[in-house]
Amino acid sequence: METIISLKPILAVIVSTIASFLIAITGDRARNLRETWTILAAVIKFGIVISMLPDILNGKIIEYTLLKITPELILHFKVDALGIFFAITASFLWIITSFYSIGYMRGLNEHGQTRYFAYFAIALSATMGVAFSANMFTAFLFYEIITISTFPLVAHKETEEAKRGARKYLAYLLGTSVAFQLTAIVITYNITGNLNFSYKGVFIGANISHTIITITFLLYIAGITKAAIMPLHSWLPAAMVAPTPVSALLHAVAVVKTGVFMVMRVVLHIFGIDLLKSFDLGTVLAIIASFTIISASIMALKQDNLKLRLAYSTVSQLSYIVLGVALLTPSGITGSIMHIVGHAFGKITLFFTAGAIYVATHKTKISELDGIGKQMPFTMGAFTVGALSMIGIPPFAGFISKWYLSLGALEAGDIFVLAVLATSTILNACYFMPIIYIAFLKESKSIINNRKINEAPMLIVIPLVIAAIGTVFIFFYPSIFIDIIKVIILAVIGNN
Amino acid sequence: MNLSEHASILIVVIPLVASFINIFLIFLKRSLCYPFFVLVLGICFALSIDILYTVINFGTVRYKLGGWMPPWGIEYVIDYLNAYVIVIVSSISFIIAIYSKDSVKKEITKARLPYFYSTYLLLTTGLLGITITGDIFNLYVFLEIASLSAYALIAIGEKRSVLASYNYIIMGTIGACFYLLGVGYIYIITGSLNINDLTRLLPSMYESKVTLTALAFFVVGIAIKIALFPLHRWLPDSYTFAPSAVSAFASATVTKVGIYVLIRISFTLFEPRFLTEITPLSNMLIWWATIAIFFGSIIAIGQTDFKRTLSYILIAEIGYMVLGANLGNKEGFIGAVLHMLNDAVMIACLFMIAGGIFYRVGSRNLEDFNGLNKNMPITMSAFTIAALSMIGIPPTAGFFSKWYLILGAIEARHWISASALIFSSLVNAFIFFKLLEKVYFGKNVGVLKYNFRELPLSMMIPILIMALAILIIGFYSGEIISSVIKFTVPAGF
């Protein structure tokens, strides 16, 4: 495989760090200039990421070794198909979210906006860092930076409740990553002397007992709490105290997808499909993920707070991705990777609408949303698109990923997984359809403002409509993504 | 005369002589005391760099005092390990000397200041002497110089420091006595005090009960000096009530030098196999250190005084180093030696910040950290770096030593020790994020009390140097290991 040495991955990482400094220096005095930095960084970042795509599609790999800290702990960047897939999703959605953030923060006249935008940019830098990591150490480093840089975002409101949520967030993410993930990394290094992501896994040829492998694997899964696999999921609902754009981009895309992305890296590039198959560890992961899918969906049913319902939905949807990759079949992995982007667009739309409703009406509860569809037709239209995509109905992105996931289940000959997918589809419908129903078909209880268009500011509505359009777009043009996925599958599985 | 040739003796003699001169400077011109004090420590720092350079380029330095041939005369032997510790001690003492200028103003009466400088110089002399000497009795002499000056420095602090210092004297004297008894036993059976000589003589006497007794006295004596749990009782009070500059200096260097002595005794005076095969000492120390890590961390959670919290964290960190050195593999040992540097820098930085907060707020209580970021943003960013390093978040220095320590523990299949290390990281995360939350999101109550600015430059710059050092050392960990620490690993690991 051809390797290109290029600074581009580093530039993609660093551009928003620079922006973060500029944002901090500019401060509240020149708000428009400050926001310009965010937008500029987002666009440049996306541009850099996209410029690497053609090489990757040609089967090449872009690498750069930044620093050999010690002989085994190396800051090493590598752009492969899986990495760029995640990077494209996150960096594209950052552009939309940036506009939305500006609308949201100004619409609510929030305090601490400089801090908000500065840490947001750092979080995105670290997300790119995870996407482009070439080894587990680099990934771990950026994983921790994400946790720490999003802490101020979760605690943004500075109320007791926000601080409590942020504490829980940090305890789960930092605690488990130090306790379990780091241990797993050390054990991996101790056994193999190698932390690089490689296509057949690093354990190849190592003489190791079943117990050690199983323990290490479970330590990784427990240590990558950002994937919100049960029972270590409750940080995600707690993080919903954050401002909505944070929930939208970070807790539906960047942070949580970093989690599932790392799980994928561990499954495909640390352990390797063959090893997991021979130890039957894929099944273990599949069972955990299935459990998460079903129970999180049931929990979502009970939530009256819109953002909380979305959060539990995220927990459940993230495990789709884990489940797909746990099947260890080509279609399963395809579905799983496809769901990264499918879920990202759908869920960001839903969170955007939740934020828009809050900005326009200050309502957070589903039971208060009677007839809101008439007040906010665009917002709720987009909500419907997002919800249908989540359920997995064509012509929306969610359908494609669910299709491949089901195919993967059939390939693996696993009827149980198919049943899980079917059940969860029904549950998804159960917790999303009532919202659509009350929004459009119920009459509003309050007489004031009834039947009068009362949308959120344009800077909020336009991004959410774009996100909704994206959801449809992916359904009609999935080939852009499928092409990348083919390169990934080819590398890890080969031609068979 | 070639200065570089005599660097090893000068680095001890210069601060010793300077501490006397400093007293006489009072009669000449009082304001000269401080510049003179900093200048001397600056020279020591330069000499230590020179020594390290010599060792790296020309190998072990042997300096015969007064031209007497060893084993009869006292010999200074500097290999990679000493040179490394000398640099740690002299650099930290230099930086904290700068810091002390404003810091001590609020903690020590003006009349006592010159004495403070003199005693500080004596402590530096003692610590450098312990590290540099190749003679176990000479080591005892320097140990006493260092201890006596440390007792005095601690007693200068606030009211309760006198009692704390008194406790320290009792414990420290017992420790020193035990060490001296160890020296006596060794001298009885071998007739030698020179470490190199003893390395040659002792193996034939490994089975002797006298050797075992000597070893036991050495280890317990040093364990008291480094405050290895449960012999730590003197430490928290002393470092809490001492002046901030003293806490920072002593916490960063005294315990590290103690660890150095432990390593010297364990792996140079005796052979590693003596501790692993003939006696179960290594194994005992591993368990002992593991318990120290657990308890130090647990007790640290419950503290309300910042300096006391740091003291208990330090007790856990001492456990790290003792553990790593005794794991019996290369990774663990590298981790321990690297952690000597990292911990010295981190703990010094944190104690200096504690002093800075005391300087402005007049309190060490954790509750008074609320909203400090608004008044002291630069100091608080240094605090954040030091805190992250204590937790062990990459790329700060703390991560790399912890990486090697955990790797060593797993390599040795000491799972409980590995979990102790991780447990302590989690505890540090809990403690420091609780504080960071207060610093950045806390509401400060009482406007008048909080109407203050950043620290004076003489305090802020040393703090910033330390915080930057944490990052730089982190990035150069590999470099430090491959050019210095690699050579300190005892043969057979």
Side-chain angles (χ1 to χ4, degrees), chain A residues 112-431:
Chain A
Q113 293 193 15
T114 307
R115 181 182 73 200
Y116 170 88
F117 284 107
Y119 281 105
F120 214 120
I122 294 179
L124 259 293
S125 267
T127 308
M128 291 301 124
V130 171
F132 296 148
S133 296
N135 56 41
M136 208 53 217
F137 164 67
T138 316
F140 177 74
L141 186 148
F142 284 111
Y143 183 96
E144 297 292 45
I145 296 178
I146 295 182
T147 307
I148 293 163
S149 62
T150 49
F151 174 72
L153 296 176
V154 177
H156 182 84
K157 280 183 187 147
E158 297 187 14
T159 57
E160 250 336 290
E161 191 201 0
K163 280 195 253 177
R164 217 178 308 123
R167 250 174 256 153
K168 191 169 188 180
Y169 179 77
L170 196 76
Y172 271 75
L173 296 187
L174 193 82
T176 56
S177 68
V178 170
F180 305 132
Q181 195 183 340
L182 182 61
T183 317
I185 297 172
V186 178
I187 295 176
T188 310
Y189 179 73
N190 182 248
I191 295 172
T192 65
N194 182 4
L195 292 174
N196 293 330
F197 297 130
S198 45
Y199 290 118
K200 297 291 170 204
V202 293
F203 285 99
I204 232 165
N207 180 24
I208 14 154
S209 69
H210 193 166
T211 331
I212 294 274
I213 280 287
T214 311
I215 289 174
T216 315
F217 185 69
L218 290 177
L219 280 174
Y220 270 119
I221 299 303
I224 306 174
T225 322
K226 290 204 169 97
I229 297 170
M230 278 187 182
L232 296 170
H233 66 285
S234 57
W235 63 269
L236 187 56
M240 288 302 133
V241 292
T244 306
V246 174
S247 308
L249 184 62
L250 298 178
H251 302 124
V253 184
V255 174
V256 290
K257 294 287 153 49
T258 298
V260 288
F261 177 78
M262 294 264 283
V263 171
M264 276 190 187
R265 282 284 197 215
V266 166
V267 168
L268 300 177
H269 296 152
I270 292 285
F271 287 89
I273 290 180
D274 297 334
L275 184 82
L276 290 182
K277 265 186 187 157
S278 63
F279 283 115
D280 213 17
L281 286 171
T283 320
V284 176
L285 187 56
I287 290 170
I288 302 173
S290 304
F291 172 77
T292 309
I293 293 176
I294 301 294
S295 36
S297 299
I298 292 169
M299 280 161 132
L301 279 173
K302 294 190 299 189
Q303 307 301 325
D304 188 34
N305 183 308
L306 180 56
K307 276 177 78 179
L308 277 184
R309 187 174 287 192
L310 293 178
Y312 278 105
S313 161
T314 306
V315 173
S316 148
Q317 299 280 333
L318 288 171
S319 276
Y320 274 56
I321 303 173
V322 176
L323 179 63
V325 82
L327 290 171
L328 304 174
T329 62
S331 299
I333 298 170
T334 309
S336 156
I337 299 170
M338 201 57 211
H339 206 56
I340 288 186
V341 62
H343 172 252
F345 274 85
K347 193 48 69 63
I348 210 168
T349 313
L350 291 173
F351 271 115
F352 280 174
T353 56
I357 293 169
Y358 180 67
V359 171
T361 67
H362 280 271
K363 284 174 183 164
T364 55
K365 291 198 174 122
I366 294 165
S367 50
E368 300 167 339
L369 297 182
D370 295 0
I372 198 145
K374 283 155 200 155
Q375 259 185 57
M376 309 175 73
F378 288 106
T379 306
M380 290 321 286
F383 184 90
T384 312
V385 171
L388 293 179
S389 175
M390 285 296 117
I391 301 167
I393 294 172
F396 306 109
F399 172 76
I400 306 230
S401 38
K402 238 172 215 181
W403 170 264
Y404 278 108
L405 284 173
S406 312
L407 251 157
L410 288 175
E411 261 173 18
D414 208 333
I415 300 301
F416 168 73
V417 170
L418 211 58
V420 168
L421 290 174
T423 316
S424 113
T425 305
I426 296 169
L427 287 169
N428 287 349
C430 290
Y431 62 75

Side-chain angles (χ1 to χ4, degrees), chain A residues 14 49 62 70 142-143 231 403:
Chain A
I14 218 160
V49 173
I62 299 171
T70 72
F142 284 111
Y143 183 96
W403 170 264

Side-chain angles (χ1 to χ4, degrees), chain A residues 454-484:
Chain A
N454 177 24
E455 277 284 7
M458 291 310 264
L459 264 174
I460 291 182
V461 177
I462 293 172
L464 73 87
V465 171
I466 292 176
I469 293 171
T471 314
V472 184
F473 178 82
I474 294 169
F475 177 82
F476 287 106
Y477 299 96
S479 58
I480 308 167
F481 298 101
I482 298 288
D483 285 346
I484 307 178

